[in-house]
Amino acid sequence: MNTPSTWAGPEHRKSVLWLVTLATIAIVFDGYDLVVYGTVLPTLLADPTQLGHLTPGQAGALGSYALVGVMIGALLAGTFGDRVGRRRMMLFNIVWFSIGMGATALANNLVTFGILRCLTGIGIGGLVATVGAMIAEFAPPAKKNLFNAIVYSGVPAGGVVAAILAMLFADHIGWRGMFWIGALPLVTLLPLAWAKMPESPQWLVSRGRLADAQAVSDRTGIPVDLHPVRPAVADDDSAEKVGFAVLASKRFLVPTMLLGMMSFAGLLLTYGLNTWLPQIMKSAGFNAKGSLAFLLVLNGGAIVGGLIAARMADRRGPQRIVATSFCIAAFALILLTFGFPLPILLAAVAVAGTGTIGTQVLIYGYTSNYYPTNARAAGVAWCAGFGRLGGIVGPMIGGLLIGAGISSGVAFYIFAGIALAGAAATLLVPSRPTDDVEAPATTARLATAE
């Protein structure tokens, strides 16, 4: 019997919705961490008594330190996630990044701040790399892109939360208070995740733990194939490997490189705009709260547009939707250079959010469903880890351009060119080879109509 395209039963639905909720909340704090630095950056630049004298170039580099940590954390999750399991990686990384955010709030100089931002990023990178694998293994096939989009929309949702809190409370709690908020998952999310987040039955089967997989399936209603069929395929050197070794195999090497380039472009745009958009708009004559409003619109547009695009990806396939979204981003970024009235500028920023942050949401879903179970965490980790190199470059490009006195229009044109390069890489990705590697599953539970 084939895997049900929707739900295997009410327990399956309940378990997946719990998982999606917990994973989304976790990723909200990834988005919060992404944007909170941009919201406090004008204060740190203007007031050297906070952490010390900070130039725009130094600020761009400082913003990249967290991304170095995210890259390390994602790659570590890819190394261990396919071996130790999804649940353990999630719980560990929730603890890690919560403690890191709280410690960052106590930093008293630029060096300490940068080191703690890097260490915090390790936990965030581990989360980003793990949740995509979990959703791909828990969600029914007809809803995989949608649920991935819901979870990874936590990134722009966290950005919205950071922007709103900065507008309402930054004057009262300061930049340190903004970072203390990022430590709340330790006492709120962690207990819920410990109680409600099961291990992936599909991962348990891949590790030969059939009895454990059946027990989880019985308890949660999540379908599982206890005896997956792996047909012999000529020239397939990936079937017996695990993790990054599969990504480097003959069948997956080229798509892995292209998926990494897509994520590089998406995260360069995401981090570059989230870090520097408030400062760019402030330089263009908007006051502090007005410039933060652009950040709010950017991330709000990403949430709405990303969810719409995900529904289209479930129906038409993600490849064309991702490429189109990159092109839409390029168009919107170019519009920002024409000096249109404020309503048109806000609309263009919202569309740019869909095509940059929203596109990266789709890329995670595309990647998590591209690889087989024995390499899924590694695939998402590669996407998140290598892509973070783009996230590191994005804030640095913005800092260098602003420090050199180059106009915001030139910066937007550069970002638009990067979006077009991302679209080109997307269109070059070959058809999903896992169709030949993993046969359709025979579920351990009877499927029922939704």
Side-chain angles (χ1 to χ4, degrees), residues 394-418:
M396 294 179 68
I397 287 177
L400 292 173
L401 292 175
I402 292 175
I406 295 174
S407 69
S408 60
V410 173
F412 287 135
Y413 277 117
I414 291 173
F415 286 139
I418 292 166

Side-chain angles (χ1 to χ4, degrees), residues 185-244:
L186 188 64
V187 295
T188 55
L189 178 61
L190 180 64
L192 278 175
W194 186 277
K196 294 291 187 178
M197 184 177 290
E199 183 55 87
S200 162
Q202 193 170 329
W203 176 81
L204 290 168
V205 170
S206 75
R207 304 303 292 172
R209 296 167 58 182
L210 303 185
D212 291 338
Q214 183 66 69
V216 173
S217 180
D218 291 341
R219 187 176 72 252
T220 63
I222 298 166
V224 61
D225 176 14
L226 296 178
H227 304 287
V229 179
R230 289 179 178 270
V233 179
D235 300 324
D236 180 17
D237 61 339
S238 64
E240 301 304 321
K241 296 180 179 179
V242 177
F244 286 115

Side-chain angles (χ1 to χ4, degrees), residues 33-116:
D33 178 82
L34 159 65
V35 174
V36 72
Y37 178 66
T39 66
V40 305
L41 183 56
T43 298
L44 299 180
L45 285 168
D47 186 0
T49 65
Q50 297 297 323
L51 291 173
H53 179 70
L54 186 64
T55 68
Q58 290 173 327
L62 195 62
S64 298
Y65 293 161
L67 307 184
V68 173
V70 172
M71 180 177 66
I72 295 170
L75 295 177
L76 287 174
T79 301
F80 296 106
D82 288 318
R83 290 175 168 80
V84 305
R86 319 308 190 202
R87 173 182 160 86
R88 288 181 183 176
M89 291 301 297
M90 284 291 294
L91 296 176
F92 175 82
N93 285 299
I94 289 170
V95 173
W96 184 286
F97 89 77
S98 298
I99 293 174
M101 289 289 280
T104 303
L106 300 174
N108 55 13
N109 58 65
L110 291 173
V111 173
T112 303
F113 183 85
I115 292 172
L116 289 171

Side-chain angles (χ1 to χ4, degrees), residues 101-363:
M101 289 289 280
T104 303
L106 300 174
N108 55 13
N109 58 65
L110 291 173
V111 173
T112 303
F113 183 85
I115 292 172
L116 289 171
R117 291 285 290 153
C118 181
L119 291 174
T120 303
I122 293 175
I124 292 171
L127 279 177
V128 172
T130 304
V131 295
M134 293 188 75
I135 297 301
E137 292 168 7
F138 280 82
K143 298 180 181 292
K144 286 184 184 292
N145 284 293
L146 175 61
F147 283 151
N148 264 290
I150 290 172
V151 170
Y152 283 112
S153 288
V155 175
V160 169
V161 171
I164 291 175
L165 291 179
M167 294 170 67
L168 295 177
F169 302 118
D171 292 341
H172 306 288
I173 64 176
W175 70 267
R176 296 182 188 276
M178 295 295 293
F179 277 93
W180 275 118
I181 290 172
L184 289 176
L186 188 64
V187 295
T188 55
L189 178 61
L190 180 64
L192 278 175
W194 186 277
K196 294 291 187 178
M197 184 177 290
E199 183 55 87
S200 162
Q202 193 170 329
W203 176 81
L204 290 168
V205 170
S206 75
R207 304 303 292 172
R209 296 167 58 182
L210 303 185
D212 291 338
Q214 183 66 69
V216 173
S217 180
D218 291 341
R219 187 176 72 252
T220 63
I222 298 166
V224 61
D225 176 14
L226 296 178
H227 304 287
V229 179
R230 289 179 178 270
V233 179
D235 300 324
D236 180 17
D237 61 339
S238 64
E240 301 304 321
K241 296 180 179 179
V242 177
F244 286 115
V246 178
L247 274 59
S249 67
K250 186 185 302 182
R251 295 178 62 78
F252 288 96
L253 183 59
V254 171
T256 293
M257 292 297 104
L258 290 169
L259 289 165
M261 292 170 62
M262 290 162 55
S263 186
F264 180 95
L267 285 169
L268 188 155
L269 296 169
T270 295
Y271 280 83
L273 289 173
N274 271 297
T275 299
W276 288 108
L277 188 61
Q279 189 67 22
I280 289 173
M281 293 307 179
K282 188 175 180 181
S283 300
F286 295 93
N287 60 30
K289 289 190 176 180
S291 63
L292 285 172
F294 281 96
L295 202 60
L296 181 62
V297 171
L298 180 79
N299 286 276
I303 296 171
V304 176
L307 291 174
I308 293 172
R311 290 295 293 170
M312 297 174 66
D314 274 326
R315 294 169 183 167
R316 303 181 184 179
Q319 187 171 27
R320 287 182 296 173
I321 303 302
V322 171
T324 301
S325 189
F326 266 129
C327 291
I328 289 173
F331 175 72
L333 289 166
I334 291 172
L335 284 182
L336 292 176
T337 67
F338 285 99
F340 287 117
L342 180 60
I344 297 178
L345 284 179
L346 289 173
V349 168
V351 174
T354 297
T356 55
I357 307 168
T359 298
Q360 185 60 33
V361 167
L362 294 178
I363 290 171

